[in-house]
Amino acid sequence: YESSSNEKRTIVRVKIENNGNSPALHSEVIVDTVYKKQNSNNGYVKLDYVPFNLKDNRGGVPKALAPNLVYYFDLAVISKPDEMSFDSDKLKQKQFYKLSLITDKSPQLLGRGTFIVPIKVCSSKLSKPSISYLKLYWDSDEYTDSKDVFSVDIISQTEFNSLKIIK
């Protein structure tokens, strides 16, 4: 959680640890796809992105992950984007809190709903990326950390494979 006097925000960080005996050289933590749950049929729609590297919590991109050290990478943020939305209850425009991916350029707005984000860790010694799946849920326009409207969970490969993916 981070906040200033004017605006509160929550940053979702991914913890990554190299459990091997040697550094993972030429490492990258990449996101290139998000799956968004559809309310109408409980399936997930695949949203492709230009691949982007996650930055660590200091804004850098380490090229090697040392063994037995923990790294934190910024994945998403709940904040007020610069755009205004229409508040039908009060018949005026207002800034609502939204969930967005943190990318190299501008944040990629996800909005409200349930999202599965595959996080791919690559390095020169891995023949294929190591993939973990993060399930993000955000369903509010106001800032809150209530579990009724905000949650983050890791799901297994088996759980991911059981999802209904809509093309």
Side-chain angles (χ1 to χ4, degrees), residues 86-148:
F86 185 71
D87 183 352
S88 58
D89 293 338
K90 298 188 172 108
L91 299 174
K92 65 178 184 175
Q93 286 198 339
K94 176 182 176 181
Q95 281 185 302
F96 292 111
Y97 282 89
K98 306 275 186 187
L99 175 66
S100 302
L101 292 175
I102 300 172
T103 69
D104 292 339
K105 297 186 169 68
S106 60
Q108 294 292 311
L109 183 67
L110 295 176
R112 293 168 62 171
T114 302
F115 305 89
I116 307 293
V117 182
I119 298 167
K120 300 174 182 177
V121 179
C122 307
S123 84
S124 60
K125 291 188 178 185
L126 293 175
S127 59
K128 62 181 183 174
S130 172
I131 304 175
S132 297
Y133 300 92
L134 211 63
K135 183 177 184 179
L136 300 169
Y137 173 69
W138 174 250
D139 192 27
S140 180
D141 291 328
E142 302 297 324
Y143 184 81
T144 180
D145 61 356
S146 167
K147 294 201 183 284
D148 293 337

Side-chain angles (χ1 to χ4, degrees), residues 2 11 13-14 54-62 70-75:
E2 295 185 6
I11 295 177
R13 289 191 171 126
V14 179
L54 298 185
K55 294 189 177 188
D56 67 19
N57 60 314
R58 295 172 297 186
V61 181
V70 175
Y71 296 83
Y72 293 94
F73 292 86
D74 293 344
L75 173 67

Side-chain angles (χ1 to χ4, degrees), residues 5-6 18-19 22 26 29 43 54 77 83 86 95 109 123 136 149 160:
S5 59
N6 298 336
N18 174 359
N19 291 322
S22 61
H26 309 290
V29 181
L54 298 185
V77 63
E83 64 195 43
F86 185 71
Q95 281 185 302
L109 183 67
S123 84
L136 300 169
V149 297
F160 178 77

